[in-house]
Amino acid sequence: MQCREVSRSAVYRLDEEAYILSVERRGLWLVAVAYVRSQTEKEVCYQVVLKLRPGTRYFVGRCECPDYKYRGGPCKHIVKAKVALREYLKMAKQTR
Ligand SMILES: [Zn+2]
């Protein structure tokens, strides 16, 4: 996905590096769809899906980048998406 397109529908952005597209409650989980800019291809953003249990530190993340596919483990995009989501939730709490 091109970052340019992502940024149009983002509800939150962190330093033009990470974008939050949606956050919704699904049962016990909070599910967030984010896009994080690639380090190697500057116009490309990878989709990161984060699921977390509010009130706990438990979360699972999935990223579409080659690094994640290859290693099957957390990549830097997931880490960045998590930071952006934390900031977004902080902001959402303040405006409520
Ligand atoms: Zn990744």
Side-chain angles (χ1 to χ4, degrees), residues 67-74:
D67 185 38
Y68 181 85
K69 256 176 222 152
Y70 179 71
R71 293 189 305 151

Side-chain angles (χ1 to χ4, degrees), residues 46 48 63-65 67-68 75-78:
Y46 294 122
V48 178
C63 180
E64 63 176 4
C65 75
D67 185 38
Y68 181 85
C75 56
K76 50 186 180 273
H77 311 110
I78 291 179

Side-chain angles (χ1 to χ4, degrees), residues 5-94:
E5 284 168 46
V6 173
S7 75
R8 255 182 246 143
S9 40
V11 294
Y12 181 79
R13 69 187 63 197
L14 188 69
D15 305 333
E16 306 294 326
E17 287 285 322
Y19 302 89
I20 303 287
L21 255 72
S22 68
V23 181
E24 61 175 24
R25 195 78 190 235
R26 276 186 218 159
L28 288 173
W29 295 91
L30 201 62
V31 180
V33 177
Y35 280 85
V36 178
R37 194 179 290 274
S38 162
Q39 305 302 108
T40 46
E41 295 174 81
K42 287 294 179 192
E43 290 311 308
V44 173
C45 275
Y46 294 122
Q47 189 189 62
V48 178
V49 177
L50 289 176
K51 288 172 70 179
L52 49 96
R53 293 284 279 269
T56 73
R57 299 179 73 87
Y58 189 67
F59 84 101
V60 282
R62 209 154 31 83
C63 180
E64 63 176 4
C65 75
D67 185 38
Y68 181 85
K69 256 176 222 152
Y70 179 71
R71 293 189 305 151
C75 56
K76 50 186 180 273
H77 311 110
I78 291 179
V79 175
K80 221 168 238 177
K82 241 186 110 196
V83 173
L85 179 61
R86 199 185 305 136
E87 292 303 314
Y88 170 76
L89 293 176
K90 239 188 260 169
M91 185 194 75
K93 209 179 262 177
Q94 280 163 5

